[in-house]
Amino acid sequence: MEDRSSHIIRQSIFEWLRQQIDIYGHVLDWQTLTKGFNYKGETVSLIGAKGIWKPKQIKQFPISITSVLKSNYNDEILKNGIISYSYRGIDPMHYDNVGLRECMLQQIPIIYLHQIYKGKYYVDFPFFVVGDDPATLSFSISAESEQVLDNLNILNEPEGVYRRSYKTREVLTRLHQTSFRERVLAAYKEHCTICRLKHRSLLDAAHIIPDSEGGKPVVQNGLTLCKIHHAAYDQNIIGISPDYQVEVREDILMEIDGPMLKHGLQETHGHKLILPRKEEYKPNKDWLDVRYQRFRSA
C-alpha cells in the first residue's frame, strides 16, 4: 500500500490539476508542470527528464508517465483504445518499471502526459496500469481501472468489436482533437489566417479535408480560422484556392446586408492567406484543391 503521506500528496496533486484544467483546459506547459504545484512550501514536479516520473516528495510509486514526440520508445494507442507504454530501458526490474508495475498491482492512479510539441503537454488523469508484458517490454495504460475493464471485457474482446462508450475512448478522442488544435494554432502564431484576429477563444483549427473523409490530423491539413470564417468555409460561402487565395461565393458577393457581411466576408474576396513561415506547416495544395473544387461546384 502507498504510505499515508504519499497518498495525501497524490490526492492534493490531483485536486490541483483539476483546478488547472478547469481554468486552462487539458494543455499545460512545462513550467506549470515542473514548478506550479506547491505542497507545504515545497515545489513538487509532476514531470521530469524520465518518462516514468516520481518526485522526491512521493516515497514509493510514480506520479506520472509521459509520451514524448520523437522518442526512442515505441508508445502507441492500440485499436482497443488501450495505450501501450514502453518500459524504461530493457530491464523489467529497473526501479522505474518496478514502480509502475506496483501501480498496476495496487491500482494506484497516475497522470498521463502526452507531448503536443516542445514545452506543451496534453494532461489527463486518473489513468491506471492495467497490463504488463515483459515480452514486448511494455505496459498497458487505460483511463479505466482494471476492475472496470474486466466488467466491460475490453481486454479480451475480438478485434473490431470494441466498446466505444468507455472513458478511455473519450480521453483519446479529446487528446487527438486538442493536439491538432494546439499544433495548428501554434503554427499560425494564433491568428486567423484570413482576417488576422488573434483572440484565442475565438479561433478554431479547421480541417481542410474533414476527419469523416479520412483527413489527417496534421498541421498541413489545418487552417487557423476565426469562428465566422470557419463556419463560412464549412458552408462553402468562402473557398481557398491551391495558391492560397480567398474567394467568396458569387451570390454572397452580390448580397446587400450590414457591415458584418461587407467587412467580415465580402472584403476578404481576393485576399491571400497569412501563412506560417515554415514551409512544412503550410497547407497541402493537393488537399486545398480537393476542397476548392467542392466550393466551385457549390
Side-chain angles (χ1 to χ4, degrees):
M1 294 291 293
E2 186 167 39
D3 70 276
R4 178 173 172 77
S5 65
S6 295
H7 176 74
I8 291 172
I9 294 173
R10 188 179 300 270
Q11 295 306 311
S12 298
I13 288 171
F14 288 169
E15 180 57 35
W16 178 81
L17 268 182
R18 286 189 186 95
Q19 296 171 6
Q20 301 306 301
I21 291 171
D22 285 345
I23 297 170
Y24 303 109
H26 283 271
V27 178
L28 300 177
D29 59 31
W30 173 268
Q31 186 170 2
T32 298
L33 293 167
T34 53
K35 300 180 180 179
F37 178 68
N38 186 283
Y39 185 77
K40 293 185 176 180
E42 289 190 46
T43 297
V44 181
S45 177
L46 309 190
I47 189 173
K50 302 182 296 182
I52 301 172
W53 178 249
K54 183 186 78 63
K56 64 181 180 180
Q57 292 86 354
I58 292 181
K59 297 176 182 179
Q60 297 168 289
F61 309 121
I63 186 66
S64 69
I65 58 172
T66 304
S67 292
V68 181
L69 296 177
K70 299 180 180 178
S71 169
N72 292 325
Y73 296 103
N74 188 31
D75 301 332
E76 63 177 337
I77 297 170
L78 305 178
K79 289 182 179 180
N80 58 359
I82 303 297
I83 298 169
S84 175
Y85 191 82
S86 297
Y87 279 6
R88 168 81 185 276
I90 60 174
D91 179 8
M93 299 310 295
H94 186 284
Y95 64 87
D96 283 341
N97 299 327
V98 171
L100 209 55
R101 189 172 297 118
E102 283 299 316
C103 286
M104 177 188 71
L105 295 173
Q106 301 189 39
Q107 287 296 280
I108 294 172
I110 58 175
I111 302 162
Y112 178 63
L113 301 151
H114 185 95
Q115 187 182 42
I116 295 175
Y117 55 87
K118 186 176 181 181
K120 291 281 189 177
Y121 297 83
Y122 176 88
V123 182
D124 220 323
F125 74 97
F127 266 71
F128 297 87
V129 184
V130 296
D132 176 20
D133 186 1
T136 61
L137 302 176
S138 66
F139 295 101
S140 295
I141 312 295
S142 171
E144 299 282 16
S145 67
E146 188 172 15
Q147 291 91 335
V148 171
L149 291 176
D150 284 344
N151 290 337
L152 294 177
N153 200 26
I154 294 297
L155 294 174
N156 298 319
E157 287 185 357
E159 185 174 353
V161 194
Y162 305 115
R163 293 280 295 274
R164 293 181 176 271
S165 60
Y166 66 103
K167 185 177 178 182
T168 307
R169 283 285 180 188
E170 296 174 357
V171 170
L172 296 178
T173 297
R174 185 165 62 238
L175 186 158
H176 291 151
Q177 292 171 344
T178 302
S179 297
F180 177 72
R181 170 182 163 80
E182 291 296 324
R183 291 196 303 269
V184 172
L185 263 61
Y188 283 81
K189 304 297 183 184
E190 300 195 358
H191 63 65
C192 175
T193 186
I194 293 177
C195 68
R196 295 183 182 270
L197 182 72
K198 291 186 177 181
H199 286 271
R200 182 182 175 88
S201 61
L202 299 177
L203 298 176
D204 294 333
H207 288 79
I208 298 171
I209 305 298
D211 279 337
S212 59
E213 299 174 17
K216 298 179 180 180
V218 295
V219 173
Q220 297 91 333
N221 189 40
L223 299 164
T224 299
L225 296 173
C226 67
K227 293 190 180 296
I228 189 169
H229 289 136
H230 186 184
Y233 189 55
D234 283 351
Q235 296 299 316
N236 291 317
I237 290 173
I238 61 174
I240 298 172
S241 69
D243 60 355
Y244 308 133
Q245 184 166 306
V246 180
E247 293 185 19
V248 179
R249 205 171 67 208
E250 187 173 355
D251 63 312
I252 302 297
L253 284 174
M254 302 300 293
E255 190 175 327
I256 298 175
D257 198 355
M260 178 57 72
L261 176 68
K262 179 180 179 181
H263 302 300
L265 292 175
Q266 291 170 337
E267 289 183 358
T268 66
H269 185 69
H271 283 194
K272 284 280 190 176
L273 297 186
I274 306 158
L275 296 172
R277 290 186 178 182
K278 289 187 177 181
E279 195 67 31
E280 63 191 279
Y281 293 155
K282 292 181 180 178
N284 181 288
K285 291 189 174 185
D286 291 336
W287 298 339
L288 278 176
D289 189 46
V290 170
R291 186 70 180 266
Y292 178 66
Q293 295 309 320
R294 185 177 307 162
F295 163 76
R296 295 293 295 174
S297 66

